[in-house]
Every structure is written in C-alpha cells, then in structure tokens.
Amino acid sequence: MPFTLPPRTPSGPRRRSLLASAAGAFVLVGCSAPEPSTETAVHSPSAADRARARAARDSESLAARYAAVITAHPPLAARLKPLRAEVVRHAQAFGGSGTAGSRPSGSPSASGSPSASASAQPSSSPTVPAQEKDALADLATAERTLADQRTKALLTVPGELARLLASVAAAGAAHAFLLTEGAK
C-alpha cells in the first residue's frame, strides 16, 4: 500500500477566528465606565484627596505637639526645632497650611504620663509630659504611630501620593529613632 500524505491543514489561527477576535476587541474598547459628572466630582472628594487631607491634618497635629514640647521644655528647643520644621514641610507637601502649632495657644498642660496617639490630640492644646525624657518618648511614639499609619495607607492611594506617603513615613521613622537614640 502506498503511503499517502494527509491533506494539509493550515497551522496557526484561522482567518475567521482572527476576525472574530478583532471584532470582540473593538466592542470591548468601546465599552467603558461612564465618566463621573462634574457635579458628582465636585461634591465628593476622591480617596486620594481624602488621604492627602488626612495626612496634612496629621502632620499639622504633630507639628503642634512639637511646638507644645518646645514651649514646655525650652532646653529641648535646639534639638526639636529642626524635626518640627520637617514636619511642617510634610504638612505643606500634603497641601496643608503648615502653620498649625507654630504658636500654641496658652501654655501646654503637663502630666506625669505621656499620651500615645499621634492624631487623636487636638492641635489646640496637646498634653505635654512634665519630664523631658517622657516628652521625647511621647513625640517618638507619635512619630512611629503616624509612620505606621502612613505605611498602611500606601496600598490604598495612587502612585505619586504613595511615594510621598512612603517618603514622609520614612522620615517619621527616622525622627522617632533620633528622638529615642539621642536621649540615651
């Protein structure tokens, strides 16, 4: 019996499947989510805008804490003023005024125990521990807490804001280190 070759079948995709794929891609490109109306966009800030505003408020609150500690413990002023100036620049980078805490109203209250929250204290009257060491530890804790919050927020914000948050979180961690290591 003679050996016969099977009929030749073309390799690769057929013309019909290519046309169907191109038509399907064209239809998908035409379908997109509707653009938000300008009325909706004006009244509801995006998640990035809210994160940026919160970061600015947190930095301004932290600047107020630094100012209160500087006022309550003048010998620490030379050490804390450069760190506070950085925190003010962070607030400005996030769109804040950067003026919070520049002149604390009244004298800060002193207490025997430090408060731990970075943004829970109102910027008008942060509580300052009576001992310098405790005041530094309080600022370091506030810096660490805020750096951790910003690090967690990185996953929920777009690229440029994420880079800014990461940079400011790293600076906050460095501030915490300087506040704790310099006290030893």
Side-chain angles (χ1 to χ4, degrees), residues 73 76 114 129-139 179 183-184:
H73 301 289
L76 295 176
Q131 300 296 319
E132 288 181 4
K133 184 177 179 181
D134 293 337
L136 291 174
D138 184 43
L139 283 174
L179 290 165
K184 291 181 179 178

Side-chain angles (χ1 to χ4, degrees), residues 114-141:
S115 61
S117 172
S119 59
Q121 289 284 336
S123 61
S124 61
S125 61
T127 302
V128 177
Q131 300 296 319
E132 288 181 4
K133 184 177 179 181
D134 293 337
L136 291 174
D138 184 43
L139 283 174
T141 300

Side-chain angles (χ1 to χ4, degrees), residues 52-88:
R52 185 178 291 274
R54 177 181 172 139
R57 281 190 314 272
D58 288 345
S59 290
E60 289 172 346
S61 175
L62 185 59
R65 292 176 77 114
Y66 270 99
V69 171
I70 291 168
T71 301
H73 301 289
L76 295 176
R79 182 174 172 189
L80 296 180
K81 280 184 179 179
L83 298 177
R84 184 189 173 281
E86 285 295 315
V87 172
V88 168

Side-chain angles (χ1 to χ4, degrees), residues 7-63:
R8 185 158 189 246
T9 57
S11 62
R14 296 185 185 248
R15 192 177 325 169
R16 267 188 236 161
S17 59
L18 285 175
L19 289 173
S21 297
F26 180 73
V27 168
L28 286 177
V29 169
C31 297
S32 63
E35 292 289 323
S37 68
T38 55
E39 189 176 304
T40 305
V42 170
H43 295 298
S44 65
S46 69
D49 291 340
R50 289 189 305 271
R52 185 178 291 274
R54 177 181 172 139
R57 281 190 314 272
D58 288 345
S59 290
E60 289 172 346
S61 175
L62 185 59

